[in-house]
Amino acid sequence: MPSPVRLFALAALLVSASALVPPGHQGLPNQPITSDDAPTTDTDSIAQTAGQVNQKSSAPVDAPPNADVPPTNVTAVDGTLTNATVADVASGSSRRRAVSPNVGRFSKRQGGYEQVFAGLAPGVHDASIEGTAYLTYTVVNNATYNVQACLDFCDSVDGCVYVNLFYEFNNFLLDFVFSEKSNLKCAAYGDIHGAAEKTNFGGQPSYPQPVPLTFITQSSGWAAKSLVDPTDPEGYDLVFGPTGGANNAPGYMGFAFIDKYDVDACAQLCNGRGYDPVGGVCQYFNIWRAVVNGVPTTYTCSMYYLIADESTAVNFGQGPLVVTLSRGYARKNLVIDGGFEGFNACDDFCFAASDANWIGTSPTGGDFDATIFFFSTFAKDGNGSALLGAAFGDDTDAGTLTPAKPIATKNGANYVIQSFFISSFSGTALEANAHVDILWNGVVVGSTSGFVGSYTPTQSVNVKGTGSDVLSFHGGAAPAWTFIDDVGVFEL
């Protein structure tokens, strides 16, 4: 037999439950539903780190020509300098796509090239470019100053938009080892550089000593006349750009510097960014080039759990740093109306078991055990949300909520499901038994349980698409109600 203390506690719960006004009768939550202030872009940290990073390089003295273009590297993460591959940094993303090296980078239009600067006179010591986004180099026939051969080489290199052509003297490997037997170097870059970046004057030992050091002559620069927009990365849509303003937006998660302007690399970093405890997965990134004192310096990927747009692209730079080539990309959500904002059958308060985008079902004998609400008081943001548990509190059955149409996935691709849950309407004690399962094709892949005091993101395990998949949420047992908002299915 239960103890008197236990009986008293049960009686108190019954009194508390009987005093509740259920959600379906426009009852108010035990505590107001509030949202934490979302952090905004840390522009100071980005600017400070841009002053520390060094991504400039030139064609090496001691490496053979025609090396493969290296993959994009990460040079800083959240203010800490590093030198790592995108795959290593984006370790949370379970799938690595095999992509063309040119995906997401600058591309040339069919408009030819123009000279950016000329080299100094023959015989006068000059300097080659040390700049960002170095790709690879070749040597061309040095019988003449062979500009066209160098431009043809740029055409053959994915992502090349600029070349630096120069003679390098006293390089033993060029003169005697490499098969081309030419000292006319053609260095390819993925960004455009000016004469101010001619800072490599040679001076390296190459021949057995004592012999004069390497030196450079007739260093000229040639750039593509115009550029095309990079291809949208898989799973993302272009929101704006290019502009001269970077986002200063809410939902900021952090930033990374990469060594090339590569939107596909930014997308992988966003996909692999760890879950934010308030905002969940990364859903948006802003890529832009930092030009410091007129010189390209680094390429920034700022990541956000809220989708931004051009209205917040108001960071034009700080001090000598100028923002250029800023673009914003939003991650595609495969769930139609995941925020339930499509349900707008009234101006203030109403609910229904189903609408054009969602279907709520109750077991036999149940009544409105899965519903969609228009009521800003219940919503994470906006007006729409969904409820599991009898809206009128007249049964304790679990309901099921599912999109009206199957999720249009790619067969064999990996995805993650995210939804925001709150189980606080009835207070701590009555919500203790709250429970909702996330199901993918009928299999439980995630859940939430117990009292949840504010809208909290919950992610499923990684799931695999079949091309047409059924997502559903099952649970709720009034008065242990659970509200759902901002449902998403994102490709990894």
Side-chain angles (χ1 to χ4, degrees), residues 91 125 130 180 196 327 387 409 424:
S91 57
H125 283 213
E130 286 185 300
E180 295 84 358
R327 290 177 171 91
L387 175 69
T409 59
S424 65

Side-chain angles (χ1 to χ4, degrees), residues 22 68 119 137 253 257 339 427 436 439 491:
D68 291 338
Y137 87 95
M253 303 177 77
F257 287 166
V436 172
L439 296 97
E491 186 176 359

Side-chain angles (χ1 to χ4, degrees), residues 64-77:
N66 304 310
D68 291 338
V69 175
T72 300
N73 261 22
V74 178
T75 59
V77 177

Side-chain angles (χ1 to χ4, degrees), residues 38-396:
T40 55
T41 314
D42 189 350
T43 56
D44 288 340
S45 178
I46 294 173
Q48 290 169 6
T49 309
Q52 300 169 7
V53 73
N54 182 7
Q55 296 180 189
K56 299 174 183 179
S57 59
S58 58
V61 170
D62 54 358
N66 304 310
D68 291 338
V69 175
T72 300
N73 261 22
V74 178
T75 59
V77 177
D78 298 335
T80 300
L81 300 185
T82 186
N83 183 20
T85 66
V86 171
D88 286 340
V89 175
S91 57
S93 185
S94 65
R95 184 165 73 96
R96 297 285 169 257
R97 303 183 185 94
V99 296
S100 163
N102 192 39
V103 170
R105 299 184 190 167
F106 293 138
S107 296
K108 301 175 284 293
R109 291 193 191 277
Q110 296 300 315
Y113 297 84
E114 58 189 0
Q115 189 174 54
V116 180
F117 57 83
L120 299 181
V124 178
H125 283 213
D126 205 343
S128 67
I129 289 292
E130 286 185 300
T132 57
Y134 169 75
L135 302 176
T136 186
Y137 87 95
T138 193
V139 290
V140 296
N141 191 310
N142 62 358
T144 62
Y145 191 71
N146 205 333
V147 174
Q148 188 58 52
C150 187
L151 301 182
D152 291 343
F153 174 68
C154 189
D155 284 339
S156 72
V157 176
D158 285 331
C160 177
V161 297
Y162 172 90
V163 285
N164 178 209
L165 180 65
F166 57 93
Y167 289 103
E168 185 169 275
F169 289 91
N170 294 337
N171 185 319
F172 183 83
L173 297 176
L174 294 180
D175 295 343
F176 295 104
V177 177
F178 300 149
S179 61
E180 295 84 358
K181 300 297 187 296
S182 171
N183 70 336
L184 185 54
K185 275 187 167 181
C186 173
Y189 288 83
D191 205 346
I192 296 172
H193 300 286
E197 296 172 83
K198 293 169 66 172
T199 56
N200 175 26
F201 293 89
Q204 295 92 3
S206 180
Y207 275 76
Q209 297 300 304
V211 169
L213 302 178
T214 61
F215 68 92
I216 289 164
T217 67
Q218 294 180 256
S219 174
S220 63
W222 302 80
K225 288 183 178 179
S226 58
L227 306 174
V228 297
D229 289 334
T231 304
D232 289 353
E234 188 175 353
Y236 286 80
D237 289 319
L238 177 69
V239 176
F240 76 90
T243 72
N247 286 117
N248 188 1
Y252 177 69
M253 303 177 77
F255 75 94
F257 287 166
I258 53 178
D259 64 0
K260 305 176 188 69
Y261 192 100
D262 186 343
V263 300
D264 192 72
C266 279
Q268 290 190 43
L269 291 169
C270 185
N271 290 355
R273 185 81 188 190
Y275 300 129
D276 184 274
V278 173
V281 300
C282 178
Q283 296 192 53
Y284 176 89
F285 70 84
N286 177 212
I287 182 172
W288 52 276
R289 178 181 64 177
V291 174
V292 179
N293 293 319
V295 174
T297 300
T298 189
Y299 309 91
T300 303
C301 300
S302 296
M303 290 160 277
Y304 301 80
Y305 58 74
L306 296 176
I307 295 175
D309 57 33
E310 192 172 357
S311 68
T312 59
V314 294
N315 172 24
F316 304 106
Q318 295 169 270
L321 185 153
V322 176
V323 173
T324 61
L325 299 173
S326 175
R327 290 177 171 91
Y329 292 86
R331 199 170 181 181
K332 294 179 181 178
N333 180 1
L334 300 189
V335 177
I336 299 173
D337 192 24
F340 305 99
E341 297 300 320
F343 179 69
N344 52 8
C346 60
D347 296 326
D348 181 25
F349 174 86
C350 56
F351 67 95
S354 301
D355 73 350
N357 299 313
W358 290 90
I359 297 172
T361 56
S362 302
T364 302
D367 182 34
F368 286 112
D369 296 314
T371 46
I372 307 157
F373 275 79
F374 181 99
F375 191 40
S376 61
T377 300
F378 295 161
K380 174 178 173 286
D381 40 50
N383 295 298
S385 62
L387 175 69
L388 289 178
F392 293 119
D394 50 359
D395 66 61
T396 58

